[in-house]
Amino acid sequence: MDAAIYPGSFDPITYGHLNIIERALSIFDRVVVLVAVNPQKSYLFSPEEKVEMIREATAGWPRVEVDGSEGLLVEYARRRQIHTAVRGLRAVTDFEGEFAMALTNRTLWPEMDTVFLMTRSDYMYLSSSVVRQVAQLGGEISSFVPPPVERRLRARFGHD
Ligand code: COA
C-alpha cells in the first residue's frame, strides 16, 4: 500500500510512537509523520523542535517523511492526496476519543480512513506527559525516548 499519515502532538516523540511508525512501515510504502496541533493542549516544544527531533529519531528509516501542519488533518491529507491516517491504540481508554476523531475526519473528507495499530505492550502506559514529568523531576528517561530527545528534555529542564 502506498502512503499513510501518522499525525500527533509528539511533545515529545517516544519509543511508543517509534514502535507505531516501525509497524506502519511494514504496511505502507511511505509514512508521513505529521506534527499537528491539538488546540486543547499547550506544548513544551515548538513545532520546529518537534519536527527536528522526529527527523533525528527516524534518520535510519528512508521511507519516513516528517512534516508539520497547523490546520486540519484532513486539509493536509487532501492537499497531499494521502487517504489513510495511522493512529496507535494503547489501552481501551484511547478508544472512544480515537473513534470520535476518525469518524469526524471521515465526515470532513469521506475519502479518508484511519488504521489503528496496537502499541507494543511495554509501551502501553507510556505517554509524552509522563515522560515530560519524569524529565522535569530529573528522573531516568532513557528507556522512554531516544537519545536526541533525552538530550533536549534534559537541557529544557536544566538537568544537563
Ligand atoms: N506511545 C506512546 N504514547 C502515545 C502513543 C504511543 N504509541 N500514542 C499516543 N500516545 C500518547 C501521546 O504521547 C499523548 O500523550 P500526552 O497527552 O500525555 O501528551 C497522547 O497519547 C495523545 O497524543 P496524540 O496521539 O498526539 O493525540 P493528541 O490528542 O495530542 O493530538 C492530533 C491529536 C494532533 C492528531 C489531532 O488533534 C489533530 O488531528 N489535530 C489537527 C487538527 C484537526 O484536524 N482536528 C480535528 C481532529 S477530529
Side-chain angles (χ1 to χ4, degrees), residues 32-68:
V32 179
V33 181
L34 186 70
V35 174
V37 176
N38 177 345
Q40 279 156 353
K41 285 186 169 176
S42 54
Y43 294 124
L44 176 67
F45 292 106
S46 70
E48 294 74 21
E49 288 173 308
K50 293 194 257 186
V51 165
E52 209 174 302
M53 280 188 276
I54 302 172
R55 286 205 177 120
E56 286 166 358
T58 59
W61 293 330
R63 292 186 289 121
V64 170
E65 181 191 333
V66 188
D67 202 358

Side-chain angles (χ1 to χ4, degrees), residues 36-114:
V37 176
N38 177 345
Q40 279 156 353
K41 285 186 169 176
S42 54
Y43 294 124
L44 176 67
F45 292 106
S46 70
E48 294 74 21
E49 288 173 308
K50 293 194 257 186
V51 165
E52 209 174 302
M53 280 188 276
I54 302 172
R55 286 205 177 120
E56 286 166 358
T58 59
W61 293 330
R63 292 186 289 121
V64 170
E65 181 191 333
V66 188
D67 202 358
S69 157
E70 291 184 354
L72 283 174
L73 170 64
V74 289
E75 290 306 329
Y76 180 89
R78 201 185 339 235
R79 196 167 62 245
R80 298 283 312 261
Q81 281 300 300
I82 299 175
H83 299 251
T84 312
V86 167
R87 294 284 291 167
L89 274 186
R90 293 166 302 166
V92 221
T93 42
D94 279 347
F95 184 78
E96 210 166 300
E98 290 300 330
F99 200 68
M101 202 149 63
L103 287 179
T104 306
N105 284 332
R106 204 162 58 190
T107 304
L108 293 171
W109 188 34
E111 289 176 40
M112 182 105 197
D113 254 309
T114 305

Side-chain angles (χ1 to χ4, degrees), residues 6-12 14-17 20 36-39 41 43 71-74 87-88 90 94 98 100-101 104-105 108 119 123 126-130 132:
Y6 179 34
S9 291
F10 303 114
D11 192 45
T14 67
Y15 280 131
H17 297 120
I20 296 291
V37 176
N38 177 345
K41 285 186 169 176
Y43 294 124
L72 283 174
L73 170 64
V74 289
R87 294 284 291 167
R90 293 166 302 166
D94 279 347
E98 290 300 330
M101 202 149 63
T104 306
N105 284 332
L108 293 171
T119 308
Y123 302 132
L126 183 57
S127 71
S128 300
S129 49
V130 162
R132 290 196 302 271

